[in-house]
Short mmCIF file of all heavy atoms in Angstrom, two decimals:
data_model
loop_
_atom_site.label_atom_id
_atom_site.label_comp_id
_atom_site.label_asym_id
_atom_site.label_seq_id
_atom_site.Cartn_x
_atom_site.Cartn_y
_atom_site.Cartn_z
N MET T 1 0.84 -1.22 0.02
CA MET T 1 0.01 0.01 -0.05
C MET T 1 0.87 1.18 0.02
O MET T 1 1.88 1.43 0.65
CB MET T 1 -0.87 0.02 1.28
CG MET T 1 -1.74 1.20 1.39
SD MET T 1 -2.98 1.00 2.66
CE MET T 1 -3.48 2.71 2.91
N LYS T 2 0.54 2.18 -0.82
CA LYS T 2 1.26 3.38 -1.00
C LYS T 2 0.41 4.62 -0.70
O LYS T 2 -0.85 4.57 -0.82
CB LYS T 2 1.90 3.55 -2.39
CG LYS T 2 2.94 2.53 -2.73
CD LYS T 2 3.60 2.86 -4.02
CE LYS T 2 2.60 2.82 -5.21
NZ LYS T 2 3.34 3.07 -6.44
N CYS T 3 1.02 5.64 -0.30
CA CYS T 3 0.22 6.86 -0.04
C CYS T 3 -0.20 7.50 -1.48
O CYS T 3 0.68 7.54 -2.32
CB CYS T 3 1.11 7.94 0.61
SG CYS T 3 0.42 9.59 0.72
N PRO T 4 -1.45 7.81 -1.67
CA PRO T 4 -1.88 8.30 -2.94
C PRO T 4 -1.37 9.71 -3.26
O PRO T 4 -1.39 10.21 -4.36
CB PRO T 4 -3.33 8.26 -2.84
CG PRO T 4 -3.68 8.40 -1.37
CD PRO T 4 -2.56 7.69 -0.64
N ASN T 5 -0.83 10.38 -2.25
CA ASN T 5 -0.38 11.72 -2.44
C ASN T 5 1.03 11.78 -2.84
O ASN T 5 1.44 12.36 -3.80
CB ASN T 5 -0.67 12.56 -1.17
CG ASN T 5 -0.29 13.95 -1.33
OD1 ASN T 5 -0.72 14.62 -2.38
ND2 ASN T 5 0.45 14.55 -0.42
N CYS T 6 1.89 11.19 -1.98
CA CYS T 6 3.40 11.24 -2.19
C CYS T 6 3.92 9.95 -2.85
O CYS T 6 5.10 9.89 -3.11
CB CYS T 6 4.11 11.60 -0.91
SG CYS T 6 4.00 10.27 0.35
N GLN T 7 3.03 8.90 -2.99
CA GLN T 7 3.45 7.61 -3.52
C GLN T 7 4.46 6.92 -2.60
O GLN T 7 5.14 5.97 -3.09
CB GLN T 7 4.04 7.74 -4.97
CG GLN T 7 3.04 8.42 -5.93
CD GLN T 7 1.75 7.67 -6.11
OE1 GLN T 7 1.69 6.52 -6.24
NE2 GLN T 7 0.67 8.43 -6.13
N GLY T 8 4.56 7.38 -1.40
CA GLY T 8 5.57 6.82 -0.46
C GLY T 8 4.93 5.73 0.26
O GLY T 8 3.79 5.49 0.32
N ARG T 9 5.84 4.95 1.02
CA ARG T 9 5.42 3.82 1.72
C ARG T 9 5.62 4.11 3.26
O ARG T 9 5.70 3.18 4.07
CB ARG T 9 6.12 2.50 1.39
CG ARG T 9 5.78 2.12 -0.11
CD ARG T 9 6.56 0.93 -0.46
NE ARG T 9 6.29 0.49 -1.82
CZ ARG T 9 5.25 -0.24 -2.16
NH1 ARG T 9 4.46 -0.74 -1.22
NH2 ARG T 9 5.00 -0.54 -3.39
N ASN T 10 5.86 5.36 3.62
CA ASN T 10 6.22 5.68 4.91
C ASN T 10 4.89 5.78 5.74
O ASN T 10 4.43 6.90 6.29
CB ASN T 10 6.92 7.03 5.03
CG ASN T 10 7.48 7.33 6.37
OD1 ASN T 10 7.61 6.37 7.24
ND2 ASN T 10 7.90 8.55 6.68
N LEU T 11 4.04 4.71 5.82
CA LEU T 11 2.77 4.73 6.42
C LEU T 11 2.85 4.03 7.73
O LEU T 11 3.41 2.94 7.88
CB LEU T 11 1.70 4.06 5.45
CG LEU T 11 1.54 4.59 4.11
CD1 LEU T 11 0.62 3.74 3.26
CD2 LEU T 11 1.01 6.06 4.19
N GLY T 12 2.13 4.54 8.68
CA GLY T 12 1.98 3.93 9.98
C GLY T 12 0.44 3.51 10.14
O GLY T 12 -0.42 4.18 9.76
N ARG T 13 0.29 2.34 10.72
CA ARG T 13 -1.06 1.92 10.97
C ARG T 13 -1.60 2.45 12.30
O ARG T 13 -0.87 2.34 13.33
CB ARG T 13 -1.06 0.39 11.04
CG ARG T 13 -2.48 -0.23 11.10
CD ARG T 13 -2.57 -1.60 10.73
NE ARG T 13 -3.89 -2.10 10.55
CZ ARG T 13 -4.20 -3.30 10.06
NH1 ARG T 13 -3.26 -4.20 9.86
NH2 ARG T 13 -5.47 -3.61 9.84
N ILE T 14 -2.64 3.14 12.31
CA ILE T 14 -3.28 3.78 13.39
C ILE T 14 -4.55 3.16 13.79
O ILE T 14 -5.09 3.52 14.86
CB ILE T 14 -3.38 5.27 13.13
CG1 ILE T 14 -4.32 5.57 11.99
CG2 ILE T 14 -2.11 6.02 13.03
CD1 ILE T 14 -4.76 7.05 11.89
N GLY T 15 -4.99 2.20 13.15
CA GLY T 15 -6.22 1.45 13.52
C GLY T 15 -6.61 0.54 12.48
O GLY T 15 -5.89 0.24 11.57
N ASN T 16 -7.73 -0.16 12.74
CA ASN T 16 -8.27 -1.13 11.77
C ASN T 16 -8.62 -0.39 10.45
O ASN T 16 -9.46 0.49 10.38
CB ASN T 16 -9.46 -1.74 12.35
CG ASN T 16 -9.96 -2.95 11.51
OD1 ASN T 16 -9.11 -3.62 10.90
ND2 ASN T 16 -11.25 -3.15 11.46
N GLU T 17 -7.89 -0.79 9.35
CA GLU T 17 -8.17 -0.17 8.11
C GLU T 17 -7.81 1.41 8.06
O GLU T 17 -8.30 2.14 7.34
CB GLU T 17 -9.58 -0.34 7.66
CG GLU T 17 -10.07 -1.80 7.63
CD GLU T 17 -9.40 -2.61 6.44
OE1 GLU T 17 -9.37 -2.03 5.38
OE2 GLU T 17 -9.12 -3.77 6.72
N GLN T 18 -6.97 1.79 9.02
CA GLN T 18 -6.60 3.14 9.06
C GLN T 18 -5.09 3.29 9.12
O GLN T 18 -4.37 2.61 9.87
CB GLN T 18 -7.15 3.83 10.34
CG GLN T 18 -8.60 4.30 10.15
CD GLN T 18 -9.03 5.14 11.38
OE1 GLN T 18 -8.81 4.71 12.49
NE2 GLN T 18 -9.51 6.37 11.18
N TYR T 19 -4.64 4.26 8.28
CA TYR T 19 -3.18 4.48 8.15
C TYR T 19 -2.90 5.99 8.15
O TYR T 19 -3.77 6.77 7.99
CB TYR T 19 -2.66 3.83 6.84
CG TYR T 19 -2.88 2.38 6.65
CD1 TYR T 19 -4.19 1.89 6.20
CD2 TYR T 19 -1.96 1.43 7.13
CE1 TYR T 19 -4.43 0.61 6.08
CE2 TYR T 19 -2.21 0.11 7.09
CZ TYR T 19 -3.49 -0.36 6.58
OH TYR T 19 -3.68 -1.72 6.51
N TYR T 20 -1.65 6.27 8.49
CA TYR T 20 -1.17 7.66 8.54
C TYR T 20 0.07 7.75 7.76
O TYR T 20 1.07 7.00 7.95
CB TYR T 20 -1.00 8.04 10.02
CG TYR T 20 -0.70 9.45 10.23
CD1 TYR T 20 -1.66 10.41 10.15
CD2 TYR T 20 0.61 9.90 10.49
CE1 TYR T 20 -1.38 11.76 10.35
CE2 TYR T 20 0.86 11.17 10.72
CZ TYR T 20 -0.07 12.18 10.62
OH TYR T 20 0.21 13.48 10.90
N CYS T 21 0.13 8.75 6.87
CA CYS T 21 1.33 9.09 6.20
C CYS T 21 2.22 10.09 6.87
O CYS T 21 1.82 11.12 7.15
CB CYS T 21 1.02 9.58 4.71
SG CYS T 21 2.46 9.91 3.75
N TRP T 22 3.34 9.59 7.29
CA TRP T 22 4.24 10.43 8.05
C TRP T 22 4.91 11.42 7.15
O TRP T 22 5.51 12.46 7.59
CB TRP T 22 5.36 9.60 8.72
CG TRP T 22 4.73 8.71 9.75
CD1 TRP T 22 4.48 7.36 9.58
CD2 TRP T 22 4.27 9.00 11.05
NE1 TRP T 22 3.86 6.85 10.71
CE2 TRP T 22 3.75 7.88 11.64
CE3 TRP T 22 4.26 10.30 11.72
CZ2 TRP T 22 3.23 7.91 12.94
CZ3 TRP T 22 3.72 10.28 13.05
CH2 TRP T 22 3.28 9.05 13.61
N THR T 23 4.87 11.35 5.84
CA THR T 23 5.51 12.19 4.92
C THR T 23 4.58 13.43 4.68
O THR T 23 5.06 14.63 4.73
CB THR T 23 5.83 11.56 3.55
OG1 THR T 23 6.61 10.40 3.86
CG2 THR T 23 6.55 12.45 2.68
N CYS T 24 3.37 13.20 4.46
CA CYS T 24 2.55 14.35 4.13
C CYS T 24 1.31 14.53 5.20
O CYS T 24 0.49 15.34 4.87
CB CYS T 24 1.97 14.29 2.68
SG CYS T 24 1.44 12.65 2.15
N TYR T 25 1.40 13.78 6.24
CA TYR T 25 0.52 14.04 7.36
C TYR T 25 -0.96 13.81 6.91
O TYR T 25 -1.82 14.64 7.30
CB TYR T 25 0.67 15.39 7.99
CG TYR T 25 2.12 15.64 8.42
CD1 TYR T 25 2.98 16.54 7.69
CD2 TYR T 25 2.76 14.97 9.35
CE1 TYR T 25 4.29 16.77 7.96
CE2 TYR T 25 4.07 15.12 9.74
CZ TYR T 25 4.84 16.02 9.02
OH TYR T 25 6.16 16.25 9.33
N LEU T 26 -1.23 12.81 6.18
CA LEU T 26 -2.58 12.57 5.78
C LEU T 26 -3.05 11.28 6.45
O LEU T 26 -2.28 10.32 6.70
CB LEU T 26 -2.66 12.38 4.26
CG LEU T 26 -2.39 13.55 3.40
CD1 LEU T 26 -2.54 13.22 1.91
CD2 LEU T 26 -3.26 14.73 3.72
N GLU T 27 -4.30 11.22 6.83
CA GLU T 27 -4.86 10.00 7.33
C GLU T 27 -5.58 9.26 6.15
O GLU T 27 -6.32 9.88 5.45
CB GLU T 27 -5.85 10.30 8.43
CG GLU T 27 -6.37 9.04 9.18
CD GLU T 27 -7.87 9.00 9.28
OE1 GLU T 27 -8.59 9.27 8.22
OE2 GLU T 27 -8.44 8.72 10.30
N LEU T 28 -5.34 7.96 6.07
CA LEU T 28 -5.93 7.18 5.04
C LEU T 28 -6.81 6.15 5.60
O LEU T 28 -6.30 5.42 6.53
CB LEU T 28 -4.91 6.50 4.17
CG LEU T 28 -3.68 7.39 3.67
CD1 LEU T 28 -2.62 6.57 3.09
CD2 LEU T 28 -4.24 8.50 2.73
N SER T 29 -8.03 5.94 5.22
CA SER T 29 -8.86 4.93 5.76
C SER T 29 -9.55 4.14 4.64
O SER T 29 -9.76 4.73 3.62
CB SER T 29 -9.89 5.41 6.69
OG SER T 29 -10.76 6.34 6.08
N ILE T 30 -9.69 2.90 4.83
CA ILE T 30 -10.27 2.07 3.80
C ILE T 30 -11.71 1.76 4.17
O ILE T 30 -11.94 1.29 5.33
CB ILE T 30 -9.56 0.68 3.63
CG1 ILE T 30 -8.08 0.92 3.48
CG2 ILE T 30 -10.06 -0.10 2.39
CD1 ILE T 30 -7.63 1.64 2.25
N GLU T 31 -12.62 2.09 3.31
CA GLU T 31 -14.07 1.86 3.62
C GLU T 31 -14.72 1.28 2.39
O GLU T 31 -14.70 1.87 1.33
CB GLU T 31 -14.69 3.14 3.99
CG GLU T 31 -16.07 3.09 4.56
CD GLU T 31 -16.58 4.41 5.10
OE1 GLU T 31 -15.76 5.26 5.53
OE2 GLU T 31 -17.80 4.59 5.04
N ASP T 32 -15.24 0.05 2.57
CA ASP T 32 -15.84 -0.60 1.45
C ASP T 32 -14.95 -0.72 0.26
O ASP T 32 -15.32 -0.59 -0.95
CB ASP T 32 -17.16 0.04 0.97
CG ASP T 32 -18.21 0.06 2.11
OD1 ASP T 32 -18.15 -0.83 2.84
OD2 ASP T 32 -19.03 1.01 2.21
N GLY T 33 -13.63 -0.99 0.60
CA GLY T 33 -12.67 -1.16 -0.51
C GLY T 33 -12.17 0.12 -1.19
O GLY T 33 -11.36 0.09 -2.07
N LYS T 34 -12.75 1.26 -0.74
CA LYS T 34 -12.28 2.49 -1.28
C LYS T 34 -11.49 3.32 -0.32
O LYS T 34 -11.80 3.31 0.95
CB LYS T 34 -13.47 3.35 -1.74
CG LYS T 34 -13.17 4.63 -2.41
CD LYS T 34 -14.37 5.49 -2.64
CE LYS T 34 -14.06 6.82 -3.20
NZ LYS T 34 -15.20 7.72 -3.43
N MET T 35 -10.45 3.93 -0.73
CA MET T 35 -9.66 4.67 0.17
C MET T 35 -10.18 6.07 0.37
O MET T 35 -10.33 6.79 -0.55
CB MET T 35 -8.19 4.80 -0.33
CG MET T 35 -7.20 5.40 0.59
SD MET T 35 -5.54 5.54 -0.07
CE MET T 35 -5.12 3.85 -0.18
N ASN T 36 -10.27 6.46 1.64
CA ASN T 36 -10.61 7.86 1.99
C ASN T 36 -9.42 8.53 2.45
O ASN T 36 -8.67 8.08 3.20
CB ASN T 36 -11.69 7.91 3.07
CG ASN T 36 -13.05 7.38 2.62
OD1 ASN T 36 -13.57 7.89 1.73
ND2 ASN T 36 -13.40 6.37 3.30
N ILE T 37 -9.24 9.80 1.93
CA ILE T 37 -8.10 10.50 2.29
C ILE T 37 -8.49 11.79 3.15
O ILE T 37 -9.36 12.55 2.66
CB ILE T 37 -7.26 11.03 1.02
CG1 ILE T 37 -6.86 9.78 0.24
CG2 ILE T 37 -6.06 11.86 1.40
CD1 ILE T 37 -7.41 9.79 -1.22
N ASN T 38 -7.91 11.87 4.37
CA ASN T 38 -8.30 12.98 5.19
C ASN T 38 -7.08 13.74 5.65
O ASN T 38 -6.03 13.14 5.98
CB ASN T 38 -9.12 12.50 6.43
CG ASN T 38 -10.34 11.81 6.05
OD1 ASN T 38 -11.24 12.44 5.54
ND2 ASN T 38 -10.49 10.48 6.32
N GLN T 39 -7.27 15.00 5.74
CA GLN T 39 -6.28 15.87 6.28
C GLN T 39 -6.59 16.16 7.75
O GLN T 39 -7.77 16.40 8.07
CB GLN T 39 -6.13 17.17 5.57
CG GLN T 39 -5.00 18.08 5.98
CD GLN T 39 -4.80 19.31 5.08
OE1 GLN T 39 -5.79 19.76 4.49
NE2 GLN T 39 -3.60 19.65 4.83
N ILE T 40 -5.70 16.06 8.64
CA ILE T 40 -5.93 16.29 10.10
C ILE T 40 -5.65 17.75 10.38
O ILE T 40 -4.50 18.18 10.16
CB ILE T 40 -5.05 15.41 10.94
CG1 ILE T 40 -5.42 13.90 10.62
CG2 ILE T 40 -5.31 15.64 12.45
CD1 ILE T 40 -4.45 12.87 11.41
N GLU T 41 -6.69 18.54 10.78
CA GLU T 41 -6.53 19.88 11.05
C GLU T 41 -5.81 20.09 12.42
O GLU T 41 -5.65 19.20 13.17
CB GLU T 41 -7.87 20.51 11.03
CG GLU T 41 -8.65 20.29 9.78
CD GLU T 41 -8.09 21.04 8.55
OE1 GLU T 41 -7.16 21.87 8.73
OE2 GLU T 41 -8.61 20.92 7.43
N GLU T 42 -5.46 21.35 12.56
CA GLU T 42 -4.74 21.60 13.79
C GLU T 42 -5.52 21.33 15.03
O GLU T 42 -5.03 21.04 16.13
CB GLU T 42 -4.29 23.10 13.92
CG GLU T 42 -3.17 23.45 12.87
CD GLU T 42 -2.75 24.85 12.94
OE1 GLU T 42 -3.14 25.49 13.86
OE2 GLU T 42 -2.01 25.28 12.03
N ASP T 43 -6.91 21.47 14.92
CA ASP T 43 -7.77 21.18 16.11
C ASP T 43 -8.17 19.79 16.23
O ASP T 43 -8.91 19.32 17.07
CB ASP T 43 -8.99 22.08 16.01
CG ASP T 43 -9.91 21.70 14.77
OD1 ASP T 43 -9.51 20.83 14.04
OD2 ASP T 43 -10.92 22.32 14.64
N GLY T 44 -7.52 18.86 15.35
CA GLY T 44 -7.77 17.47 15.44
C GLY T 44 -8.85 16.93 14.65
O GLY T 44 -9.14 15.73 14.51
N SER T 45 -9.65 17.80 13.98
CA SER T 45 -10.70 17.39 13.13
C SER T 45 -10.17 16.91 11.83
O SER T 45 -9.05 17.21 11.43
CB SER T 45 -11.74 18.47 12.95
OG SER T 45 -11.18 19.60 12.26
N LEU T 46 -10.99 16.20 11.06
CA LEU T 46 -10.58 15.68 9.80
C LEU T 46 -11.31 16.44 8.66
O LEU T 46 -12.55 16.70 8.78
CB LEU T 46 -10.93 14.16 9.66
CG LEU T 46 -10.18 13.29 10.61
CD1 LEU T 46 -10.71 11.87 10.47
CD2 LEU T 46 -8.72 13.29 10.45
N SER T 47 -10.60 16.73 7.62
CA SER T 47 -11.26 17.26 6.42
C SER T 47 -10.96 16.43 5.25
O SER T 47 -9.76 16.02 5.07
CB SER T 47 -10.85 18.78 6.20
OG SER T 47 -9.42 18.84 5.91
N SER T 48 -11.92 15.99 4.58
CA SER T 48 -11.76 15.11 3.43
C SER T 48 -11.13 15.72 2.22
O SER T 48 -11.41 16.79 1.85
CB SER T 48 -13.17 14.51 3.03
OG SER T 48 -13.04 13.61 1.95
N LEU T 49 -10.14 14.93 1.69
CA LEU T 49 -9.55 15.37 0.49
C LEU T 49 -9.93 14.48 -0.71
O LEU T 49 -9.24 14.55 -1.75
CB LEU T 49 -7.98 15.37 0.59
CG LEU T 49 -7.37 16.25 1.73
CD1 LEU T 49 -5.87 16.08 1.73
CD2 LEU T 49 -7.76 17.67 1.46
N ASN T 50 -11.02 13.77 -0.47
CA ASN T 50 -11.37 12.82 -1.54
C ASN T 50 -11.67 13.55 -2.83
O ASN T 50 -11.41 13.06 -3.91
CB ASN T 50 -12.62 12.07 -1.14
CG ASN T 50 -12.33 10.99 -0.16
OD1 ASN T 50 -11.15 10.89 0.38
ND2 ASN T 50 -13.26 10.21 0.26
N ASP T 51 -12.31 14.77 -2.71
CA ASP T 51 -12.65 15.52 -3.96
C ASP T 51 -11.46 15.79 -4.81
O ASP T 51 -11.48 15.99 -6.06
CB ASP T 51 -13.40 16.77 -3.61
CG ASP T 51 -14.78 16.46 -3.04
OD1 ASP T 51 -15.24 15.35 -3.16
OD2 ASP T 51 -15.39 17.38 -2.44
N ILE T 52 -10.26 16.01 -4.14
CA ILE T 52 -9.09 16.40 -4.86
C ILE T 52 -8.46 15.06 -5.53
O ILE T 52 -7.99 15.16 -6.69
CB ILE T 52 -8.01 16.91 -3.89
CG1 ILE T 52 -8.57 18.18 -3.26
CG2 ILE T 52 -6.70 17.19 -4.61
CD1 ILE T 52 -7.72 18.80 -2.20
N PHE T 53 -8.55 13.97 -4.87
CA PHE T 53 -7.90 12.74 -5.34
C PHE T 53 -8.77 12.04 -6.37
O PHE T 53 -8.35 11.21 -7.25
CB PHE T 53 -7.45 11.84 -4.29
CG PHE T 53 -6.20 12.39 -3.57
CD1 PHE T 53 -6.37 13.13 -2.42
CD2 PHE T 53 -4.98 12.09 -4.06
CE1 PHE T 53 -5.26 13.65 -1.86
CE2 PHE T 53 -3.84 12.63 -3.39
CZ PHE T 53 -4.01 13.41 -2.27
N TYR T 54 -10.04 12.19 -6.12
CA TYR T 54 -11.06 11.38 -6.97
C TYR T 54 -11.87 12.38 -7.82
O TYR T 54 -12.91 12.84 -7.40
CB TYR T 54 -11.96 10.57 -6.14
CG TYR T 54 -11.24 9.49 -5.30
CD1 TYR T 54 -11.28 9.63 -3.89
CD2 TYR T 54 -10.63 8.41 -5.85
CE1 TYR T 54 -10.59 8.68 -3.17
CE2 TYR T 54 -9.97 7.50 -5.10
CZ TYR T 54 -9.95 7.66 -3.66
OH TYR T 54 -9.27 6.72 -2.96
N GLN T 55 -11.25 12.77 -8.93
CA GLN T 55 -12.00 13.70 -9.81
C GLN T 55 -13.23 12.96 -10.36
O GLN T 55 -13.15 11.84 -10.81
CB GLN T 55 -11.07 14.07 -10.95
CG GLN T 55 -9.71 14.60 -10.44
CD GLN T 55 -9.72 16.08 -10.11
OE1 GLN T 55 -10.67 16.80 -10.58
NE2 GLN T 55 -8.84 16.50 -9.28
N SER T 56 -14.32 13.68 -10.49
CA SER T 56 -15.49 13.14 -11.11
C SER T 56 -15.32 13.07 -12.62
O SER T 56 -14.65 13.92 -13.14
CB SER T 56 -16.75 13.91 -10.74
OG SER T 56 -16.54 15.25 -11.16
N GLY T 57 -15.84 12.03 -13.19
CA GLY T 57 -15.67 11.80 -14.62
C GLY T 57 -14.37 11.24 -14.89
O GLY T 57 -13.49 11.11 -14.06
N SER T 58 -14.13 11.02 -16.24
CA SER T 58 -12.77 10.49 -16.56
C SER T 58 -12.47 10.93 -17.96
O SER T 58 -13.26 11.30 -18.76
CB SER T 58 -12.80 8.97 -16.44
OG SER T 58 -13.68 8.44 -17.33
ZN1 ZN A 1 2.09 10.71 1.69
#
């Protein structure tokens, strides 16, 4: 498994189906076989970056 942002493998597992990229500080979670990408804000909340990585249409 690689980080979809930096293509790196510097991922730490933080939970069941949850990973954290130490390079770009993104939280990655697998849900129904699809990867969700979240940015962790300074206050600890998550903001989804899925819209950036999964462009609609092709
Ligand atoms: Zn990364």
Side-chain angles (χ1 to χ4, degrees):
M1 178 170 165
K2 293 190 296 185
C3 172
N5 185 48
C6 64
Q7 305 298 319
R9 294 178 181 275
N10 193 16
L11 300 175
R13 189 166 192 171
I14 59 173
N16 187 35
E17 305 284 324
Q18 274 189 308
Y19 301 86
Y20 185 78
C21 179
W22 296 101
T23 303
C24 42
Y25 308 110
L26 296 180
E27 188 231 47
L28 313 169
S29 62
I30 310 296
E31 193 174 327
D32 296 330
K34 181 184 174 185
M35 186 184 293
N36 292 302
I37 301 119
N38 294 297
Q39 186 171 35
I40 301 176
E41 305 290 353
E42 289 182 12
D43 65 0
S45 64
L46 297 176
S47 61
S48 176
L49 298 182
N50 285 5
D51 289 348
I52 297 172
F53 285 94
Y54 301 111
Q55 308 275 339
S56 58
S58 61

